[in-house]
Amino acid sequence: MTKKNSKSDIQQSKAPLFVSLGIIIVLILLYFLVPSYQQFLNEAWQVLTSNDETRIENWVSEFGWFGPVVLILAMVFQMFLIVIPSLALMVVAVLAYGPVWGSIISASGVFVASTTGYVIGKYFGPVLVKKMIGSSSEEKLENFINDYGFWAVVITRFNPFLSNDAISFVGGVLKMGYWRFIGATLLGISPLILFIAILGNNTESMKTGLIWGSVVSLILFVLYVWWDKRRKKSS
């Protein structure tokens, strides 16, 4: 009975993968059959992957009031297209809309993207998540969240060097409480957004500060993990 049930579970868990493949096929067909859709995607790809913040800012500004929506959607899609860093999109939001509205747009983008990743992980299951981020990364993040829970999400969000987006998927797979997860996400990302808002107009100083801040926070966290593991072994 157990073996039959496990086989049935595996087959059911693959169903969302087939649905996702179906959606991808439809989008590919639209790309080749609808010229305006193809043109927009080509332009969006070229601009968002250019690493030219001024070019991205100008492109986003052309959308007027719809620009913030474009940035938020870009933050969602960047979970699947790693070549578009979410940090760069936050910088663009601040440059295009100022420190206050840029921060609000950035926080909204992180909120929507994190919720999307969480829902995918929770309802589409580990099979799809492993396909997307790899079995090794998924297992490491699972252990990380199991060991440190709320603070694992906070630290990961705070440090751009860590797997920011992958933790959303894994948080959903582990069925971590949604409000606990999203609270940790917003708490961890807030200092980063504030830092970008303050130094957004001076990109060189901001990049230097982000690198040093990330390195220091990463070293401190590694030391904490090392100390915590030694403490657990001794007890």
Side-chain angles (χ1 to χ4, degrees):
M1 286 293 291
T2 305
K3 288 183 178 179
K4 287 183 179 179
N5 287 336
S6 62
K7 286 182 180 179
S8 176
D9 290 340
I10 291 171
Q11 289 175 344
Q12 288 177 4
S13 65
K14 286 184 178 179
L17 183 60
F18 295 138
V19 172
S20 301
L21 288 173
I23 293 171
I24 292 170
I25 290 170
V26 169
L27 291 174
I28 291 173
L29 288 174
L30 285 173
Y31 178 82
F32 288 106
L33 296 176
V34 182
S36 57
Y37 177 72
Q38 182 185 81
Q39 184 180 356
F40 173 77
L41 285 186
N42 286 342
E43 183 182 7
W45 177 265
Q46 289 173 2
V47 173
L48 292 174
T49 59
S50 66
N51 289 323
D52 186 340
E53 289 162 4
T54 303
R55 184 183 178 190
I56 298 172
E57 179 191 353
N58 292 336
W59 183 73
V60 169
S61 299
E62 291 176 3
F63 291 94
W65 66 269
F66 195 66
V69 177
V70 172
L71 279 173
I72 291 171
L73 289 176
M75 287 184 189
V76 174
F77 285 119
Q78 65 84 29
M79 292 193 301
F80 310 97
L81 304 172
I82 302 173
V83 291
I84 309 171
S86 59
L87 194 63
L89 294 173
M90 291 181 198
V91 174
V92 169
V94 169
L95 291 174
Y97 297 99
V100 177
W101 284 108
S103 297
I104 292 171
I105 292 166
S106 297
S108 301
V110 171
F111 176 84
V112 174
S114 300
T115 299
T116 301
Y118 178 90
V119 169
I120 289 173
K122 184 174 182 179
Y123 296 103
F124 284 63
V127 173
L128 180 60
V129 171
K130 285 180 179 179
K131 294 276 185 185
M132 292 168 62
I133 66 174
S135 297
S136 178
S137 296
E138 197 263 352
E139 288 172 9
K140 287 178 182 176
L141 282 172
E142 275 196 16
N143 293 332
F144 188 40
I145 294 176
N146 283 329
D147 287 342
Y148 301 101
F150 180 90
W151 293 108
V153 180
V154 172
I155 290 294
T156 304
R157 293 298 182 189
F158 178 74
N159 196 312
F161 289 170
L162 300 178
S163 302
N164 253 299
D165 302 311
I167 204 161
S168 297
F169 300 122
V170 178
V173 168
L174 294 177
K175 293 181 170 55
M176 183 180 183
Y178 171 72
W179 291 112
R180 188 164 175 254
F181 164 78
I182 210 68
T185 292
L186 295 177
L187 178 63
I189 205 70
S190 293
L192 197 58
I193 293 175
L194 181 62
F195 186 82
I196 293 170
I198 293 171
L199 293 176
N201 291 324
N202 192 336
T203 53
E204 287 305 315
S205 296
M206 183 191 62
K207 287 174 182 176
T208 303
L210 283 173
I211 290 171
W212 280 108
S214 298
V215 168
V216 170
S217 65
L218 189 59
I219 290 172
L220 289 174
F221 185 69
V222 168
L223 289 173
Y224 170 75
V225 171
W226 173 78
W227 171 81
D228 186 57
K229 286 182 177 179
R230 286 198 64 182
R231 181 180 61 84
K232 287 177 179 178
K233 284 181 179 179
S234 62
S235 60

